[in-house]
Amino acid sequence: MIDHPFLKEAFPILQALEAAGYEAYFVGGAVRDLFLNRPIHDVDIATSATPNEVKTVFFHTVDVGIEHGTVLILLKGQSFEVTTFRTESAYSDFRRPDDVQFVRSLEEDLKRRDFTMNAMAMMSDGQFIDPFNGRQDLNNRMIRTVGSASERFSEDALRMMRAARFASQLSFELDMDTRQAMKEYAPFLSHIAVERKLNEMDKLLAGLAKEKGLSVLIETGLFLFLPGLSGQKKALAQIAARTLKSLNADQMWLLIAFEVADRHVTDFLRNWRMSAKRIKRIEKGVRTLRRVRAEGWHDILLYEAQIEASVDCAEVEAVLDGRESKSADVISRWQALPIKDRDELDLTGSDLMEWSGKQRGIWIKECLVLAEKAVVNRKIENEKEQIKEWLRSCNLL
């Protein structure tokens, strides 16, 4: 038995299915990541039992995708997906097979999968089944499709982006046939929903070898069918030529938007179907980065940007300049600001009306902004009487 805590929790499911007379295996990413000694986050189980047969073996089940053979097993506070061995027909919508046939053969099930490294299986006793030499490809750090690359990519074009994503996450190379098929079938990516592309792009941009993943997008022509990137080969190549390891996915989007979107950042991000909250964060980051490049770091800029955008910009700026990040300095400078938010200013609109005898109006906001900047720039202390005297000296009261 493999001594892995996450897999150990799922062993009773395999053993129960085997005891009931069925075959059952760990499959897919968990087996791959076990070989690579990477963290295992999801455990997928494949079985010869049909969904209804699976449900007779376990007390607590949920039909999460029963039409495609998947049943969710609830066991000791954990949930595990169990899917019946199956074969698939054509993918006319470029996403899901038109028809699924349940089978009793593990190899028939594995041969429908995308890459050899994801087409391995493991029994409850730790024995491995590897009909397509996935382990050899893992040892050779190679991404290779199961069977014909043309067939795999014409079934689901998103698999091409998965190949680029694995290049980023694992720092693997594409085998020659896989790379060539991606060049030929890249236009099929236009049939894929943007939300699915974004999911894969986020994973690619979070990888430790994201330069390699971006290079795959460029070399295979996949970038031509991604929102806002079709005319940006040179800019993408310049980004891929940088050292990007330190950036997280959102910081990578900041860098990409800064380099390719010019003054149309909002449209660029919306075309990727990002959430409004995420768009707002990246937009703010791009605006701040432009200011930093034009003005350099100063306290008002830091105060207006706030800490999240400032750190994002410090990380991206370091990549643009090819140097170590100074985000620690930015954080220290932020922490040393006299105030970090207008709510901390020892001045209110009511104070201004009381001191001046004037009615409420836009002048209040103007005075608050000026006082705020004076405090941040340390011209005056954040103390009500000092602020009052300073405003009077400026003829604002």
Side-chain angles (χ1 to χ4, degrees):
M1 183 180 289
I2 299 296
D3 188 23
H4 187 284
F6 201 15
L7 293 181
K8 224 171 186 178
E9 293 175 352
F11 273 131
I13 294 177
L14 268 66
Q15 292 168 331
L17 287 166
E18 290 170 351
Y22 304 108
E23 295 178 41
Y25 307 88
F26 294 124
V27 293
V31 182
R32 177 198 70 226
D33 290 338
L34 185 67
F35 274 116
L36 295 174
N37 197 29
R38 298 178 77 233
I40 296 174
H41 302 292
D42 297 303
V43 174
D44 292 322
I45 296 168
T47 180
S48 60
T50 65
N52 287 332
E53 289 169 342
V54 170
K55 291 166 70 172
T56 65
V57 178
F58 300 96
F59 290 112
H60 304 294
T61 67
V62 180
D63 296 350
V64 293
I66 199 164
E67 69 279 7
H68 293 106
T70 301
V71 176
L72 193 70
I73 308 297
L74 306 178
L75 181 69
K76 296 180 180 180
Q78 297 279 1
S79 60
F80 302 93
E81 286 191 357
V82 176
T83 303
T84 303
F85 299 158
R86 69 192 195 194
T87 59
E88 299 171 345
S89 63
Y91 290 60
S92 60
D93 67 352
F94 299 93
R95 180 174 184 182
R96 294 186 180 90
D98 297 337
D99 184 49
V100 169
Q101 297 288 332
F102 299 143
V103 295
R104 299 289 187 180
S105 165
L106 172 66
E107 185 166 339
E108 284 296 308
D109 181 81
L110 294 178
K111 76 193 302 185
R112 70 178 173 81
R113 297 174 183 268
D114 51 8
F115 305 109
T116 59
M117 62 182 176
N118 297 330
M120 300 183 294
M122 186 178 74
M123 301 172 66
S124 61
D125 61 4
Q127 292 186 59
F128 289 92
I129 293 89
D130 183 16
F132 305 106
N133 298 316
R135 191 169 187 176
Q136 180 179 324
D137 284 335
L138 285 177
N139 290 334
N140 293 333
R141 305 180 66 79
M142 186 68 65
I143 300 168
R144 185 193 313 273
T145 59
V146 175
S148 165
S150 299
E151 288 183 17
R152 297 292 79 77
F153 296 147
S154 61
E155 289 167 349
D156 184 355
L158 192 69
R159 287 170 171 166
M160 294 183 284
M161 283 204 71
R162 281 169 58 82
R165 183 246 289 186
F166 284 127
S168 171
Q169 291 179 323
L170 305 177
S171 194
F172 280 17
E173 301 294 334
L174 302 179
D175 95 290
M176 189 181 304
D177 289 343
T178 300
R179 184 182 297 273
Q180 184 57 38
M182 287 171 69
K183 292 178 180 179
E184 293 176 11
Y185 283 83
F188 278 49
L189 201 58
S190 60
H191 298 292
I192 300 298
V194 173
E195 291 82 359
R196 297 182 75 206
K197 296 177 186 179
L198 175 61
N199 184 48
E200 289 299 328
M201 192 68 167
D202 278 338
K203 293 175 182 178
L204 185 157
L205 296 178
L208 292 179
K210 47 183 74 76
E211 302 93 339
K212 184 168 288 189
L214 289 172
S215 294
V216 169
L217 296 182
I218 297 166
E219 293 164 11
T220 59
L222 292 182
F223 78 97
L224 295 169
F225 305 95
L226 297 177
L229 298 181
S230 61
Q232 300 294 338
K233 182 175 183 178
K234 183 178 178 180
L236 284 175
Q238 289 174 340
I239 293 170
R242 300 183 185 279
T243 302
L244 305 172
K245 185 177 180 180
S246 63
L247 302 185
N248 62 34
D250 280 334
Q251 291 163 355
M252 278 299 304
W253 279 113
L254 195 168
L255 173 60
I256 292 170
F258 178 78
E259 294 282 43
V260 312
D262 192 32
R263 298 292 168 180
H264 306 288
V265 173
T266 304
D267 291 340
F268 174 73
L269 299 174
R270 282 177 179 166
N271 286 337
W272 275 96
R273 303 289 194 272
M274 289 186 183
S275 68
K277 181 179 179 180
R278 196 175 186 197
I279 289 173
K280 186 176 180 181
R281 173 182 177 173
I282 298 169
E283 278 181 325
K284 185 176 183 180
V286 173
R287 287 196 307 270
T288 303
L289 183 58
R290 286 174 178 157
R291 286 187 66 188
V292 169
R293 301 305 270 178
E295 306 167 18
W297 288 100
H298 54 83
D299 285 350
I300 289 295
L301 186 154
L302 187 60
Y303 174 80
E304 291 175 350
Q306 297 290 295
I307 190 62
E308 183 179 68
S310 296
V311 170
D312 285 348
C313 286
E315 293 294 335
V316 172
E317 187 187 28
V319 167
L320 289 171
D321 294 342
R323 56 165 171 77
E324 291 293 314
S325 168
K326 295 181 180 178
S327 60
D329 295 338
V330 167
I331 293 170
S332 295
R333 190 166 176 177
W334 155 263
Q335 292 172 337
L337 289 175
I339 58 172
K340 300 176 181 65
D341 187 270
R342 183 173 293 177
D343 289 342
E344 297 179 15
L345 185 66
D346 193 13
L347 176 68
T348 66
S350 297
D351 292 330
L352 292 169
M353 288 188 291
E354 180 183 335
W355 297 339
S356 67
K358 298 179 184 178
Q359 296 298 310
R360 189 177 300 277
I362 194 170
W363 68 274
I364 291 179
K365 181 178 180 181
E366 292 170 351
C367 284
L368 288 171
V369 168
L370 288 171
E372 190 178 21
K373 290 183 177 180
V375 170
V376 171
N377 283 327
R378 298 174 175 82
K379 291 182 178 179
I380 52 174
E381 296 289 329
N382 184 33
E383 192 275 319
K384 197 179 296 287
E385 287 303 316
Q386 276 203 40
I387 296 172
K388 180 180 180 181
E389 291 307 313
W390 180 81
L391 288 171
R392 282 180 171 161
S393 69
C394 297
N395 297 317
L396 296 171
L397 291 178

